[in-house]
Amino acid sequence: MSAITITGLTKKYGTVTAVDNLNLNIGEGELFALLGMNGAGKTTTIKMLSCLIQPTDGDAVLLGDSIRNNPNAVKQKINISPQETAVAPNLTVLENLELIAGIYGQSRENSKKSARELSTRFGLDDVLGKKTKTLSGGMQRRLSIAMALISKPQILFIDEPTVGLDVLARRTLWASIRQLRKQVTIILTTHYLEEVEALADRIGVMTKGRLAAVGTTAELIGQTGAENLEDAFVSISGGVL
Amino acid sequence: MKMFLFAKRNTKEILRDPINLFFGLGFPLVLLFMFNIIDSAIPAEANNAMFSIEKTAPGVAAFGTAFFALFSGMLLAKDRTTSFLMRLFASPMTARDFIFGYSLPLLAMAAIQGSITFLAAALIGLPLSVNTLLAILILLPTAILFVGMGLLCGSLLNDKAVGGICGALLTNIAGWFSGVWIPLDLIGGVFKQVANVLPFYHGVEAAKAAVSGNFTGIMPHFAIVLAYAAVFYALAVFAFRRKMLGHQA
């Protein structure tokens, strides 16, 4: 069953078309990676799907609700972990988690319970009382995803989660994301091909606002006749091999 | 509920920054004691009440609210640039939750800041009365004006630009043109005319009138402050809502 059905989704800024007639189905529990060069339209797509910006044309239906006609219902089912860490710097880890839980309607008691559960799941127990501005980049990213999950979303958007992280922090975060597979539908944008290979069920490659190819790693390699995903990506994106 | 949760977060975010505490609370008190030293240095036979506590206390209390433009602007701009606001925009929070969530803590802080300034002034010799409470209420539209200016800048600019405009520029303009640092009659001319057009001087004069019990003297100044506050707050709400709807994402 489809968690997300995207039909003709388009976003224009003046004469610039950031996303051009996107059509795509993403299944429930799937981890779908959106790949693309800078400016390919990945973040704009995520922003439209998470009701942050309105499409110029087209629509997307998320678990039965349209982003155009019923954005408030969509917002109850989704959450987002933005490109930047997006945490409140002078609040503690626990306060950040409880804040988001409360905003999504959880009682004070449930917020505390959810915060404890998520902090354990993401290895944040030892830093619960620390202000988030004192945490390492990797810890902040983990907190960011934990904050996105505390509302128990059915669909989670993760925008470039490992930018600027060292190898160890990246691998730890991958492990956290892997835990979520099949439980939550995840749309992940990234520049890192090894991240896609490690995590994604299917991949969509965007080029100049258009969805140029969709498939599993093996399918994309097969479609392009390339030797590996990187070559397949370069070939689909119109680069030089 | 969401509004109050967000307001609580904003309160913590502001109060846990020691620089905010210094400018919000410490600087008006420093200014108050400096004026008191100047006043003490003026010989009694000069018969000059320019820096008397009855005049400087309401002025400093009104001027102190200028820092709330910096607080609100920086908070909003940082929330935007760190994508914290993007996270919240994707939540079921409404525009009203955001606007009041940002504004209410600052207005409460303005009332507390004004109260502390008048209490400190009382230690120096300002007689406290019901008029003092009225003066604190009279300060609130001035605080709304500055919060509106801050939210407007925070909606449109990054935190560095907000720091420059709401910190250095606005506090200087408010300081000079309010007549708090130097009485406007000493300068006169075009400077005084410009000060009369701007709201800062009127905010101070309304507070002074309240403290002195000159109730008929409050409204002419207060009305100007109210008008400015309404315009800037409306502009801030408009700019914020546009940002929220993704027009300039």
Side-chain angles (χ1 to χ4, degrees):
Chain A
M1 190 185 162
S2 276
I4 303 174
T5 305
I6 303 170
T7 315
L9 199 65
T10 302
K11 181 67 185 178
K12 291 181 181 174
Y13 292 103
T15 56
V16 178
T17 303
V19 175
D20 189 5
N21 192 31
L22 187 69
N23 294 286
L24 180 65
N25 282 311
I26 298 171
E28 271 189 49
E30 188 174 5
L31 200 159
F32 189 89
L34 265 181
L35 269 179
M37 310 295 283
N38 285 333
K42 306 184 298 289
T43 300
T44 306
T45 302
I46 293 239
K47 282 184 175 176
M48 283 192 281
L49 294 177
S50 51
C51 306
L52 289 168
I53 54 174
Q54 288 201 331
T56 311
D57 203 1
D59 198 1
V61 176
L62 279 70
L63 296 165
D65 286 303
S66 154
I67 58 168
R68 270 185 178 279
N69 303 328
N70 208 356
N72 290 334
V74 172
K75 284 180 174 187
Q76 296 284 354
K77 298 173 185 175
I78 65 163
N79 212 322
I80 183 168
S81 175
Q83 214 171 93
E84 295 78 14
T85 43
V87 296
N90 281 322
L91 262 57
T92 65
V93 169
L94 184 63
E95 287 169 340
N96 266 283
L97 289 166
E98 287 179 356
L99 170 69
I100 301 299
I103 281 171
Y104 279 84
Q106 293 183 28
S107 65
R108 186 180 287 192
E109 205 170 89
N110 282 344
S111 297
K112 283 190 187 304
K113 196 177 156 200
S114 305
R116 296 281 174 188
E117 276 172 22
L118 263 299
S119 63
T120 302
R121 195 157 143 197
F122 282 82
L124 297 165
D125 282 339
D126 294 340
V127 293
L128 270 180
K130 283 193 175 176
K131 284 185 189 172
T132 54
K133 67 181 178 187
T134 65
L135 301 182
S136 66
M139 283 282 200
Q140 289 194 12
R141 294 277 177 178
R142 271 193 271 163
L143 172 61
S144 177
I145 296 178
M147 286 165 74
L149 280 168
I150 202 162
S151 64
K152 299 181 173 63
Q154 292 164 273
I155 298 173
L156 176 64
F157 298 98
I158 310 178
D159 198 6
E160 312 223 9
T162 58
V163 171
L165 297 189
D166 61 41
V167 176
L168 288 180
R170 184 177 295 175
R171 289 298 172 101
T172 309
L173 197 60
W174 284 3
S176 302
I177 294 171
R178 268 199 209 98
Q179 288 177 12
L180 306 172
R181 290 178 72 166
K182 309 301 173 199
Q183 301 167 35
V184 184
T185 305
I186 299 174
I187 292 85
L188 170 92
T189 73
T190 182
H191 281 111
Y192 301 120
L193 297 169
E194 70 273 26
E195 192 158 289
V196 172
E197 287 188 286
L199 299 174
D201 297 315
R202 276 197 311 153
I203 303 156
V205 181
M206 291 190 75
T207 311
K208 295 175 184 167
R210 299 187 76 93
L211 190 63
V214 183
T216 62
T217 302
E219 284 168 355
L220 292 184
I221 291 171
Q223 281 171 30
T224 54
E227 289 185 3
N228 52 46
L229 181 62
E230 185 170 325
D231 285 351
F233 172 68
V234 172
S235 172
I236 294 164
S237 301
V240 179
L241 283 172
Chain B
M1 177 65 179
K2 295 182 186 86
M3 180 198 302
F4 292 116
L5 280 171
F6 187 54
K8 191 176 163 189
R9 173 265 169 175
N10 292 333
T11 306
K12 287 178 182 172
E13 204 67 62
I14 292 167
L15 292 181
R16 286 179 184 175
D17 188 335
I19 295 171
N20 286 347
L21 277 181
F22 171 73
F23 280 106
L25 199 60
F27 192 68
L29 297 183
V30 169
L31 215 53
L32 197 66
F33 286 109
M34 275 175 56
F35 285 138
N36 186 242
I37 291 168
I38 294 170
D39 189 50
S40 305
I42 298 172
E45 54 270 26
N47 202 23
N48 186 339
M50 201 176 277
F51 290 101
S52 69
I53 194 68
E54 288 81 5
K55 291 190 175 175
T56 56
V60 168
F63 169 69
T65 59
F67 294 107
F68 291 99
L70 181 65
F71 300 164
S72 59
M74 287 294 278
L75 184 62
L76 174 52
K78 279 184 182 171
D79 282 351
R80 275 183 43 238
T81 52
T82 61
S83 289
F84 185 70
L85 208 53
M86 186 204 278
R87 183 192 289 285
L88 298 183
F89 280 170
S91 80
M93 282 179 73
T94 63
R96 201 178 63 162
D97 294 331
F98 283 107
I99 299 289
F100 286 113
Y102 276 121
S103 304
L104 290 177
L106 290 162
L107 294 181
M109 285 179 214
I112 292 166
Q113 183 203 54
S115 305
I116 291 172
T117 304
F118 282 119
L119 282 173
L123 295 176
I124 300 170
L126 179 75
L128 293 182
S129 68
V130 181
N131 294 348
T132 317
L133 287 176
L134 178 64
I136 292 167
L137 285 176
I138 293 285
L139 289 176
L140 289 182
T142 309
I144 292 172
L145 166 67
F146 284 117
V147 170
M149 286 177 166
L151 292 180
L152 179 62
C153 290
S155 294
L156 303 173
L157 307 168
N158 64 33
D159 53 332
K160 280 184 184 167
V162 170
I165 290 173
C166 293
L169 188 65
L170 184 61
T171 48
N172 266 291
I173 290 174
W176 289 109
F177 286 103
S178 63
V180 173
W181 295 353
I182 296 177
L184 294 180
D185 289 331
L186 274 185
I187 306 171
V190 176
F191 190 87
K192 192 177 176 184
Q193 286 171 1
V194 173
N196 256 313
V197 173
L198 296 172
F200 316 117
Y201 166 72
H202 299 287
V204 170
E205 289 305 307
K208 277 185 190 172
V211 166
S212 65
N214 173 18
F215 302 123
T216 52
I218 295 173
M219 208 50 207
H221 297 293
F222 193 58
I224 293 170
V225 178
L226 275 178
Y228 267 99
V231 168
F232 272 95
Y233 203 75
L235 285 172
V237 171
F238 176 73
F240 185 84
R241 286 183 70 96
R242 271 184 72 83
K243 192 62 74 178
M244 196 174 172
L245 292 170
H247 288 292
Q248 294 169 24

